[in-house]
């Protein structure tokens, strides 16, 4: 079935006594055990509200099963720790989400896990693999430069050596990219972004094979990052419009990228949908749409702070993926803790701005950008 249909229908818990159309919210943290094999308990990731979302997300990711978490980092850290222990080696992209980066550098040394960060290319990953490599962690498109890595190539390299692969699919969403179908073992999300979509909840998800999810669910009940029933319900409700929202956001982003690309006050636009972007050809082979995130550099003569202050509709704010368009300066927010040299090395200039496109009327958004630029 089409994703729009899956968003609405898959996973819903049909309650027999009232036959209501929506999953009821099951608030219990204590359940009877006498008549069942596996007793329900929220931290065992097996309650009806958790399962409703897990089934919907598994369907959307074209995976067999999924596990729902209380944050994106809970999903990412749990999935990684389910696959790497003392003596193992993990290969990760330099351009991974900042929180994943610091999780690795701050906890791996204490756990005896070895790691190598590499540039965003399959060749760099292949060159870093050792006899001890158990896991490869990637992200595409990347934050904030929207670089693209060939998912099929990475999965091919890993499969030939029996190495597990994990991708952070937050930026693309399952509407624009389904990496499990391209050979990746574990797909994770910060559901705080597009899946929630209204900037009002925090959650995470991992999806993959039934066997993989069993391994991750076991580690998850040790670490305990489960999501409460009320937020599960809010998320389930949000997911019903995921395809609608993301399709609209993606169309808006394409139009905004074109507008910025042709503006004399803009130095450079990073958006995988633009033909001149390095990752465009690869993106075409693995994405259904080019997503709703983009970044751009103002011409050197412009002052980014001044530009942000002049915006009337688009709000300077952190996070991304909500129905409202927001903008941020990575050098002042997500990458503020990076040294100046590291920022320059990876291409994060003071004039670089990251734009998360909302569902507003695109002409209103362009008018706001235009008045602030001029
Ligand atoms: C926000 C984000 C995360 C972390 O998710 P939380 O829900 O904040 O824990 C991970 N990866 C990406 C790409 C993100 O944007």
């Amino acid at each position: 079935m089409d994703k729009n249909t899956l968003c609405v229908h898959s996973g819903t818990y049909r309650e027999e006594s009232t036959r209501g159309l929506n999953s009821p919210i099951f608030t219990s943290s204590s359940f009877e055990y006498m008549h069942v094999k596996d007793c329900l308990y929220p931290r065992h990731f097996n309650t009806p509200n958790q399962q409703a979302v897990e089934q919907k997300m598994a369907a959307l990711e074209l995976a067999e099963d999924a596990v729902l978490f209380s944050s994106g980092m809970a999903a990412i850290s749990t999935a990684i720790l389910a696959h790497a222990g003392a003596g193992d080696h993990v290969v990760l992209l330099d351009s991974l989400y900042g929180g994943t980066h610091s999780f690795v550098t701050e906890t791996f040394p204490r756990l005896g896990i070895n790691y190598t960060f590499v540039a965003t290319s399959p060749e760099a990953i292949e060159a870093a693999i050792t006899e001890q490599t158990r896991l490869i962690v990637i992200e595409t498109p990347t934050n904030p430069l929207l670089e693209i890595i060939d998912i099929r190539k990475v999965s091919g390299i890993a499969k030939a050596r029996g190495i597990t692969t994990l991708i952070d699919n937050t930026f693309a969403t399952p509407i624009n990219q389904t990496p499990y179908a391209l050979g990746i073992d574990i797909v994770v999300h910060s559901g705080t972004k597009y899946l929630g979509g209204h900037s009002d909840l925090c959650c995470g998800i991992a999806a993959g094979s039934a066997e993989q999810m069993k391994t991750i669910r076991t580690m998850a009940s040790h670490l305990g990052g489960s999501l409460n029933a009320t937020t599960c319900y809010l998320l389930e409700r949000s997911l019903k419009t995921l395809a609608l929202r993301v399709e609209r956001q993606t169309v808006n982003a394409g139009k905004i990228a074109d507008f910025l690309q042709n503006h004399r006050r803009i130095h450079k636009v990073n958006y995988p949908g633009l033909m001149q972007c390095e990752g465009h050809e690869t993106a075409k082979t693995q994405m259904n749409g080019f997503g709703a995130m983009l970044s751009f550099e103002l011409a050197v003569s412009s002052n980014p702070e001044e530009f942000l202050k002049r915006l009337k509709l688009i709000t300077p704010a952190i996070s991304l993926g909500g129905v409202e368009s927001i903008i941020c300066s990575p050098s002042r927010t997500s990458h503020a803790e990076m040294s100046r040299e590291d920022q320059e090395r990876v291409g994060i200039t003071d004039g670089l701005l990251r734009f998360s496109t909302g569902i507003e009327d695109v002409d209103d958004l362009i008018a706001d950008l235009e008045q602030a630029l001029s």
Side-chain angles (χ1 to χ4, degrees):
M1 271 187 279
D2 181 79
K3 296 215 175 117
N4 280 284
T5 312
L6 294 174
C7 279
V8 176
H9 291 284
S10 55
T12 309
Y13 183 101
R14 288 309 283 272
E15 193 262 322
E16 290 303 322
S17 70
T18 64
R19 303 200 145 259
L21 296 194
N22 294 306
S23 307
I25 303 175
F26 293 88
T27 54
S28 294
S29 60
S30 177
F31 292 84
E32 286 190 31
Y33 71 90
M34 296 283 276
H35 310 288
V36 290
K37 194 163 119 286
D38 296 309
C39 188
L40 304 187
Y41 187 59
R43 200 206 3 102
H44 290 159
F45 294 72
N46 60 3
T47 61
N49 292 109
Q50 292 167 335
Q51 283 177 343
V53 173
E54 290 174 351
Q55 283 168 23
K56 203 188 279 296
M57 279 305 296
L60 288 169
E61 283 292 356
L62 311 179
E64 290 172 5
D65 195 8
V67 184
L68 176 61
F69 292 87
S70 53
S71 72
M73 281 315 300
I76 293 167
S77 57
T78 304
I80 290 178
L81 293 177
H83 286 88
D88 292 340
H89 176 249
V90 182
V91 179
L92 315 97
L93 297 188
D94 237 346
S95 49
L96 289 181
Y97 174 71
T100 311
H101 207 279
S102 36
F103 166 64
V104 169
T105 56
E106 284 167 31
T107 66
F108 276 23
R110 286 194 286 147
L111 299 172
I113 306 170
N114 301 306
Y115 62 91
T116 311
F117 280 106
V118 300
T120 312
S121 85
E123 294 73 27
I125 289 175
E126 189 162 28
I129 290 172
T130 72
E131 284 291 306
Q132 277 67 48
T133 306
R134 298 284 168 271
L135 182 66
I136 295 171
V137 184
I138 64 168
E139 201 170 308
T140 180
T142 65
N143 176 27
L145 295 171
L146 288 303
E147 291 173 298
I148 303 291
I149 186 165
D150 190 319
I151 296 173
R152 288 186 188 85
K153 273 194 194 157
V154 174
S155 120
I157 290 166
K159 279 200 192 328
R161 295 165 178 80
I163 301 170
T164 303
T165 45
L166 186 154
I167 188 170
D168 185 331
N169 204 30
T170 302
F171 269 36
T173 82
I175 307 308
N176 283 324
Q177 182 168 279
T178 43
Y180 183 71
L182 304 175
I184 296 292
D185 297 307
I186 306 161
V187 180
V188 295
H189 284 275
S190 168
T192 314
K193 316 297 166 55
Y194 290 98
L195 307 184
H198 297 70
S199 310
D200 61 0
L201 60 80
C202 184
C203 67
I205 197 108
S209 70
E211 196 191 335
Q212 268 296 348
M213 293 306 110
K214 197 162 167 240
T215 309
I216 289 177
R217 204 173 261 116
T218 304
M219 180 58 80
S221 36
H222 297 318
L223 297 179
S226 55
L227 191 64
N228 68 79
T230 316
T231 311
C232 288
Y233 179 74
L234 258 186
L235 176 60
E236 187 185 342
R237 190 185 208 271
S238 292
L239 286 171
K240 293 187 185 187
T241 57
L242 179 70
L244 262 184
R245 286 185 279 111
V246 171
E247 281 164 13
R248 168 67 167 262
Q249 285 166 300
T250 301
V251 170
N252 280 359
K255 290 183 180 163
I256 289 168
D258 279 339
F259 161 77
L260 292 170
Q261 176 76 12
N262 295 313
H263 201 286
R264 64 187 158 49
R265 292 240 158 95
I266 301 292
H267 171 58
K268 186 172 183 222
V269 182
N270 304 306
Y271 183 64
L274 292 175
M275 252 159 51
Q276 49 276 59
C277 268
E278 213 183 308
H280 179 66
E281 289 304 320
T282 307
K284 272 205 301 200
T285 68
Q286 62 191 25
M287 299 182 84
N288 308 318
F290 300 108
M293 293 302 300
L294 55 102
S295 62
F296 56 95
E297 271 180 66
L298 297 176
V300 278
S301 57
S302 311
N303 178 340
E305 291 287 305
E306 213 33 55
F307 168 71
L308 293 182
K309 280 187 200 143
R310 281 167 197 262
L311 289 166
K312 295 191 173 112
L313 177 63
I314 299 158
T315 313
I318 59 157
S319 198
L320 59 107
V323 290
E324 59 288 292
S325 293
I326 59 172
I327 190 162
C328 77
S329 158
S331 71
R332 298 254 340 257
T333 60
S334 56
H335 293 67
E337 279 171 25
M338 249 189 188
S339 69
R340 198 82 191 166
E341 300 83 74
D342 281 351
Q343 285 189 356
E344 270 166 30
R345 183 175 52 80
V346 300
I348 295 163
T349 60
D350 282 341
L352 181 76
L353 297 171
R354 189 190 75 183
F355 191 82
S356 168
T357 317
I359 63 169
E360 301 96 334
D361 182 88
V362 73
D363 293 333
D364 289 338
L365 295 172
I366 289 175
D368 194 31
L369 291 166
E370 176 61 58
Q371 65 80 20
L373 283 169
S374 58

